[in-house]
Amino acid sequence: MSDSVTRPKTKPKVRTERPKLHKVILVNDDFTPREFVVRVLKAEFRMSEDQAHNIMITAHRRGVCVVAVFMRDVAETKATRATDAGKAAGYPLLFTTEPEE
Ligand code: TYC
């Protein structure tokens, strides 16, 4: 009987690329009170009052603002939780996510 060795057909590749980070983006609207946006940013993204105010006012003036970057699942969870906090209070506050280039 001949000894046979089963080898993988392809050489295992070492993955050197890092998984992409994903941006959480705050979208402006005409209804959510500024203080409420600041409160959600502080609670969900652990920001100071100043940091949260700067992000809120940038979204208010420009339409959108990048809040922070995370691994994809963390970004999606935070965006959903923050959007749901607005929904629960009756506001159309929206956070989206987008992969970084
Ligand atoms: N534009 C809102 C207002 O004037 C405030 C606001 C800012 C809402 C940023 C959403 O992402 C937002 N009350």
Side-chain angles (χ1 to χ4, degrees), residues 26-34 37 55-61 63 93-95:
L26 170 63
V27 182
N28 185 40
D29 68 72
D30 292 338
F31 303 100
T32 310
R34 292 177 180 206
V37 180
I55 301 270
M56 179 281 295
I57 209 69
T58 302
H60 176 74
R61 289 180 181 148
L93 182 63
L94 177 63
F95 290 80

Side-chain angles (χ1 to χ4, degrees), residues 13-62:
K13 280 211 190 85
V14 179
R15 272 184 65 92
T16 49
E17 327 93 74
R18 296 172 196 281
K20 259 189 199 158
L21 290 172
H22 287 241
K23 299 180 273 194
V24 174
I25 298 164
L26 170 63
V27 182
N28 185 40
D29 68 72
D30 292 338
F31 303 100
T32 310
R34 292 177 180 206
E35 316 77 64
F36 186 86
V37 180
V38 169
R39 201 185 314 153
V40 170
L41 286 169
K42 286 168 72 178
E44 190 59 44
F45 300 95
R46 303 172 152 277
M47 286 180 180
S48 68
E49 181 79 25
D50 269 16
Q51 287 174 316
H53 186 267
N54 287 338
I55 301 270
M56 179 281 295
I57 209 69
T58 302
H60 176 74
R61 289 180 181 148
R62 302 165 74 114

